[in-house]
Amino acid sequence: MRIFKFGGASVKNPDAVKNVARVLQHEGTENTLVVISAMGKMTNAFERIVEAYCYKKEDLKEALAFVQDFHQEMMDGLFQKEHEVYNKVNYFFGELSGFMATNTSEDYNYIYDQMVGFGELISTTIVSDYLSDIGIKNNWLDVREYIKTDGSYRDAKVYWDLTKDIITKKVDPSTLNITQGFLGAYDEKTTTLGREGSDYTAGIFAYCLHADSVTIWKDVPGVLNADPRVFEQTELLKNISYTEAIEMAFYGASVIHPKTIQPLEQKQIPLFVRSFDDLQQEGTQVSNSEGIEPMIPCFIVKKNQILISISAKDFSFMVEDNISHVFKKLHQYKLKVNLIQNSAISFSVCVEDKFNNYQHFLNDLTSSYTIKSYENATLYTIRHFDNDAIESIKQKGRPVIRQINTETAQLVIQENV
Ligand code: ADP
Ligand code: ASP
Ligand code: MG
């Protein structure tokens, strides 16, 4: 069995959806489970609906119309006027409105998952109906009946035993299955696995089905040694070991979701990252090889980092007790720590504030600590660095922290503006 994953860029407009069909026709459709994300940037657009619903009701109508119009245009580009797909998609929008009208919860993360998940449900419905229309038989699965999670909304943890049990019993491996990435279910409620989590969904199915391979189809030739949107010259990495891929994902290489590799590594399932445009290219293979090939410096960029420097008000050393206190608070406010550096009296961390909690964190700690922060830092990580690589990053702004170990150099930069 093979698992394919198509992300938002693979289904961003009607031509892209047609191209997904072309990929499937070229690669064959038997014994395949296809995981698909929301179309284009629709998850961001659904996030704006959630924001509007929770905080800025006056923007709600426009935010909703944007998402509805996008899908309307998509369907108009793929189907005849009277096609039943219009009713199916309308039904989902009806469910969304129904949720908004009846919801009484104030838990933002819960609300988010109930609303944002429609991006994937609609996307897979459109692709599945389009494939059927052109004669590619397929089976649409509601992933929430398969991937069971805990109730940590927006960051749900998979109940592996239960999920494996259901998937092995219920998925028919002989046909073409189409399902949603990113989603799971806790009881009857939709959960999400974290932004960009569709890769992880592919990993979960692969693990549970003992798949032969996973292929992630991309708008790039494979995993490159840097993000081509940020760096001018990039090179394709042909082979990457699981360990190296985990390291790269850990440092923030957004091309593969960090949680995806572990389940594949456990079952020794190879992961291919290939271009959905150029089907002749082999792309990148992540497997049980050594390091990376070619062995060249790889750059990972994380923008929007907050650099925080913390020292105790009484000038006491920053050691175990107060560091552990600070970490407890970082954990409590879900601030993701990407780099740590400490000296005798100060402790610096570079964090990401995905859940908008930074102000609460500050309020909580300012009575005991002096906190200085800089909110617009960029963290550059270079795996397999050399001097030229470090110098090239220094050109980008003022380095405020530099940390080097045998394989990895990290620089926190205040960018030139
Ligand atoms: P999708 O969600 O459609 O799967 P993404 O947009 O999330 O795709 O990821 C593809 C993008 O990731 C590419 O267009 C590229 O700009 C970016 N990217 C970042 N780092 C890398 C890298 N090391 N190699 C290749 N692409 C990368
Ligand atoms: N649609 C979700 C997101 O944009 C999941 C994914 O694309 O992987 O985060
Ligand atoms: Mg993506």
Side-chain angles (χ1 to χ4, degrees):
M1 178 128 204
R2 301 173 306 183
I3 313 295
F4 284 177
K5 179 255 172 173
F6 290 97
S10 319
V11 286
K12 66 177 181 190
N13 56 36
D15 281 344
V17 173
K18 290 177 186 168
N19 187 56
V20 168
R22 182 183 71 101
V23 174
L24 291 173
Q25 276 159 338
H26 185 266
E27 300 290 316
T29 54
E30 277 169 16
N31 310 89
T32 306
L33 184 137
V34 180
V35 172
I36 305 177
S37 307
M39 298 179 140
K41 301 278 177 212
M42 277 299 112
T43 303
N44 294 350
F46 274 100
E47 284 186 343
R48 287 194 290 275
I49 300 179
V50 179
E51 284 278 302
Y53 170 69
C54 291
Y55 306 124
K56 283 182 82 185
K57 288 270 191 287
E58 66 274 19
D59 292 347
L60 185 57
K61 217 171 139 198
E62 196 185 320
L64 261 172
F66 179 75
V67 168
Q68 280 171 322
D69 291 350
F70 176 93
H71 289 105
Q72 183 72 35
E73 269 181 43
M74 182 69 74
M75 291 187 287
D76 291 347
L78 293 168
F79 300 98
Q80 303 286 338
K81 275 214 159 28
E82 305 298 319
H83 200 285
E84 64 172 337
V85 73
Y86 289 96
N87 287 335
K88 292 186 191 171
V89 170
N90 266 339
Y91 175 80
F92 284 128
F93 281 116
E95 278 200 335
L96 175 63
S97 303
F99 171 78
M100 289 193 282
T102 55
N103 168 57
T104 50
S105 168
E106 287 180 5
D107 176 351
Y108 185 85
N109 294 338
Y110 163 78
I111 295 171
Y112 178 104
D113 280 3
Q114 307 322 302
M115 295 174 68
V116 162
F118 284 106
E120 268 68 15
L121 291 164
I122 293 172
S123 152
T124 47
T125 299
I126 292 176
V127 175
S128 164
D129 273 26
Y130 176 72
L131 294 175
S132 303
D133 257 20
I134 62 162
I136 302 179
K137 262 180 66 182
N138 67 91
N139 202 8
W140 185 88
L141 310 180
D142 184 334
V143 77
R144 298 170 298 179
E145 289 169 15
Y146 297 79
I147 296 184
K148 300 294 176 182
T149 69
D150 70 1
S152 324
Y153 294 105
R154 289 180 78 190
D155 192 20
K157 309 286 176 299
V158 174
Y159 287 148
W160 281 99
D161 290 342
L162 183 56
T163 298
K164 194 170 166 215
D165 218 39
I166 301 172
I167 288 180
T168 42
K169 281 198 189 111
K170 281 179 55 180
V171 172
D172 172 3
S174 66
T175 61
L176 174 65
N177 293 288
I178 307 281
T179 200
Q180 305 79 40
F182 184 46
L183 312 183
Y186 172 61
D187 290 336
E188 296 297 298
K189 303 296 180 192
T190 308
T191 54
T192 63
L193 306 171
R195 282 303 307 265
E196 304 294 329
S198 298
D199 293 352
Y200 184 38
T201 305
I204 296 167
F205 275 104
Y207 178 90
C208 295
L209 291 164
H210 294 273
D212 297 317
S213 66
V214 173
T215 305
I216 297 181
W217 297 94
K218 288 272 177 192
D219 59 357
V220 281
V223 180
L224 307 166
N225 73 324
D227 185 346
R229 287 174 298 198
V230 186
F231 289 81
E232 270 166 23
Q233 278 171 346
T234 54
E235 266 185 68
L236 177 72
L237 302 175
K238 288 194 162 164
N239 286 295
I240 306 179
S241 68
Y242 292 118
T243 318
E244 186 66 36
I246 289 172
E247 292 282 347
M248 287 172 69
F250 171 79
Y251 287 116
S254 60
V255 70
I256 308 171
H257 186 276
K259 287 184 186 164
T260 312
I261 307 295
Q262 275 99 341
L264 301 183
E265 193 268 341
Q266 278 182 41
K267 293 262 162 96
Q268 299 285 301
I269 300 167
L271 167 69
F272 299 96
V273 181
R274 291 180 57 190
S275 159
F276 57 61
D277 285 321
D278 188 351
L279 303 180
Q280 304 311 319
Q281 299 300 320
E282 284 176 22
T284 301
Q285 175 167 356
V286 180
S287 61
N288 210 1
S289 54
E290 283 281 304
I292 52 171
E293 188 205 330
M295 183 52 100
I296 48 175
C298 297
F299 298 84
I300 300 148
V301 186
K302 276 183 160 267
K303 291 190 181 279
N304 302 320
Q305 303 291 298
I306 309 175
L307 182 60
I308 315 171
S309 158
I310 303 167
S311 45
K313 285 227 155 110
D314 59 4
F315 267 87
S316 57
F317 288 139
M318 285 301 286
V319 285
E320 292 82 353
D321 56 349
N322 38 25
I323 289 183
S324 68
H325 177 230
V326 171
F327 259 98
K328 210 169 137 216
K329 292 294 167 190
L330 288 164
H331 180 67
Q332 181 182 333
Y333 293 109
K334 292 189 175 172
L335 291 165
K336 184 165 181 307
V337 178
N338 290 323
L339 179 136
I340 305 160
Q341 195 164 62
N342 72 318
S343 70
I345 55 160
S346 102
F347 169 72
S348 299
V349 279
C350 188
V351 304
E352 223 166 293
D353 183 20
K354 274 197 204 156
F355 295 90
N356 277 328
N357 286 333
Y358 184 56
Q359 203 50 48
H360 302 300
F361 169 81
L362 274 186
N363 296 345
D364 202 338
L365 290 185
T366 38
S367 56
S368 333
Y369 300 92
T370 303
I371 302 179
K372 286 190 219 144
S373 59
Y374 175 78
E375 299 215 359
N376 226 338
T378 303
L379 172 64
Y380 287 90
T381 302
I382 317 170
R383 294 277 298 161
H384 316 292
F385 63 92
D386 57 22
N387 275 339
D388 288 351
I390 292 180
E391 285 307 312
S392 72
I393 296 305
K394 282 189 184 161
Q395 307 306 316
K396 294 187 182 285
R398 193 166 80 86
V400 279
I401 291 189
R402 192 172 113 142
Q403 211 169 72
I404 290 185
N405 64 34
T406 43
E407 298 282 2
T408 312
Q410 290 194 288
L411 286 97
V412 180
I413 301 274
Q414 293 183 352
E415 300 265 349
N416 293 323
V417 279

